[in-house]
């Protein structure tokens, strides 16, 4: 396995191949957020606006707030469109349901407007597995409601107050390119078939256009190591993380892991596996692994000399210690490594096996075999594939899969 610095240097050279040298902004594709009000309209197409609002009130929903947030988003969406038109751009609007290969290839830049969910959706379609050509279309997002949404994947919040300034900078080339690593998921098996995915936002099966993935025969070493004949890449790349675990959170997830193609098979019972990128390290990865000042204080008090002067001084700085620890969980968006985290691993009796198995570590590849009953492999909290007993997947990072984004500041 390459050391992290060598791996980063190798990926940096590869990233340079996919960095535009003559970017010209002429066509912008604005991807619109599905607001809560629009979601309710889709759920109840038979109701008039007045009937829908009454139904929501009867249910206990704060209808006035739902309508207010819908208006806030739509007003901001119009400002974004106008900002691009003011610098001479042709603009097209697209919803998540109308994104297609043709409209994606038409654009010079993809502009998700909303929150991180809208960005992740757009990123999923800005994929070499989905595109008509291997030329990458950059993506840059605007937070439509920074008062109610963190939007870590979007431009800094002050550009929500003045989007025209950001658009002007992009038009003039006053920005930097950022390549965000993504997880490629390859299913291993006997026939190369992919199970039907589900859109977790709409709770419906996903009907994607034909993608450029096909079953392939595994090479002899891989076939022998993982006891499989065929492989097939899933048509979605994960920008944040891939999660594998039982659908019912109260049920224990039983998984086997092989890290970096080593000869050790690690067996775990837990609440699921989260494999994160550097981009995703600010999200679920941190939520799983973060500690609080209370954790620090409890740990220090448990020491034999917990009441000594030196320990007492440390306890007074418990908040700072926790913050430094949590900050150390983050890693760069272009980092070519993955970081896996085992949620609530059972550490009793024979579990985990071997006992030296770490519940969190950096890796380049993760092979996972399921021994679950009703489990899912979930990409960016959005697209879910069944992943039950016997299912096998290989998670890895390739430089050509990185998402090309525009960074200001």
């Amino acid at each position: 396995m390459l050391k992290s610095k060598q791996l980063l240097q190798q990926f940096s050279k590869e990233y340079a191949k996919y960095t535009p040298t003559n970017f010209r902004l002429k066509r912008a594709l604005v991807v619109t957020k599905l607001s809560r009000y629009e979601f309710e309209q889709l759920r109840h197409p038979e109701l008039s606006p007045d009937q829908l609002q009454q139904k929501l009130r009867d249910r206990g929903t704060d209808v006035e707030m739902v309508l207010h947030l819908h208006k806030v988003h739509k007003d901001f969406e119009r400002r974004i469109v106008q900002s691009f038109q003011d610098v001479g751009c042709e603009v097209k609007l697209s919803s998540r349901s109308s994104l297609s290969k043709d409209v994606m290839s038409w654009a010079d830049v993809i502009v998700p407007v909303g929150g991180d969910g809208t960005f992740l959706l757009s990123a999923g379609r800005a994929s070499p597995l989905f595109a008509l050509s291997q030329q990458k279309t950059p993506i840059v997002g605007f937070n439509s409601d920074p008062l109610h949404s963190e939007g870590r994947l979007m431009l800094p919040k002050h550009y929500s107050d003045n989007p025209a300034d950001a658009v002007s900078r992009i038009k003039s080339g006053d920005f930097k390119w950022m390549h965000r690593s993504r997880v490629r998921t390859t299913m291993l098996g006997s026939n190369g078939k992919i199970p039907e995915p589900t859109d977790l936002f709409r709770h419906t099966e996903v009907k994607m256009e034909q993608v450029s993935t096909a079953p392939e025969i595994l090479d002899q070493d891989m076939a022998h190591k993982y006891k499989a004949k065929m492989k097939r890449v899933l048509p979605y790349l994960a920008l944040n993380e891939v999660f594998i675990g039982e659908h019912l959170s109260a049920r224990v997830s039983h998984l086997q892991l092989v890290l970096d193609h080593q000869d050790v098979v690690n067996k775990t019972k837990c609440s699921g596996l989260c494999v994160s990128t550097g981009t995703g390290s600010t999200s679920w990865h941190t939520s799983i692994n973060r500690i609080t000042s209370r954790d620090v204080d409890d740990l220090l008090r448990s020491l034999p000399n917990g009441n000594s002067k030196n320990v007492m001084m440390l306890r007074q700085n418990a908040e700072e210690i926790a913050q430094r620890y949590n900050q150390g969980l983050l890693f760069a968006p272009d980092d070519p490594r993955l970081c896996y985290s085992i949620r609530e691993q059972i550490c009793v009796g024979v579990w985990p096996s071997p006992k030296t198995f770490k519940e969190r570590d950096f890796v380049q590849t993760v092979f996972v075999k399921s021994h679950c009953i009703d489990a899912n492999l979930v990409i960016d909290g959005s697209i879910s594939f069944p992943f039950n007993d016997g299912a096998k997947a290989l998670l890895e990072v390739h430089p050509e899969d990185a998402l090309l984004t525009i960074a200001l500041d």
Side-chain angles (χ1 to χ4, degrees), residues 114-131:
D116 284 346
T118 309
F119 189 100
L120 289 169
L121 164 75
S122 305
R125 293 301 178 97
S127 162
L129 305 177
F130 183 74

Side-chain angles (χ1 to χ4, degrees), residues 211-236:
V211 294
S212 56
T213 63
E216 299 178 51
I217 298 175
L218 277 172
D219 64 59
Q220 188 173 358
D221 291 340
M222 288 280 286
H224 176 73
K225 186 175 186 66
Y226 298 121
K227 295 179 175 58
K229 297 179 181 178
M230 307 290 291
K231 66 176 181 178
R232 189 166 182 180
V233 178
L234 294 185
Y236 298 92

Side-chain angles (χ1 to χ4, degrees), residues 221 224-226 257-266 354:
D221 291 340
H224 176 73
K225 186 175 186 66
Y226 298 121
L257 283 73
V258 175
L259 309 175
D260 292 327
H261 301 300
Q262 296 172 1
D263 294 330
V264 179
V265 177
N266 302 282

Side-chain angles (χ1 to χ4, degrees), residues 231-251:
K231 66 176 181 178
R232 189 166 182 180
V233 178
L234 294 185
Y236 298 92
L237 298 170
L239 179 61
N240 269 358
E241 74 279 311
V242 173
F243 174 78
I244 297 175
E246 288 282 1
H247 179 74
L248 184 64
S249 58
R251 182 179 287 146

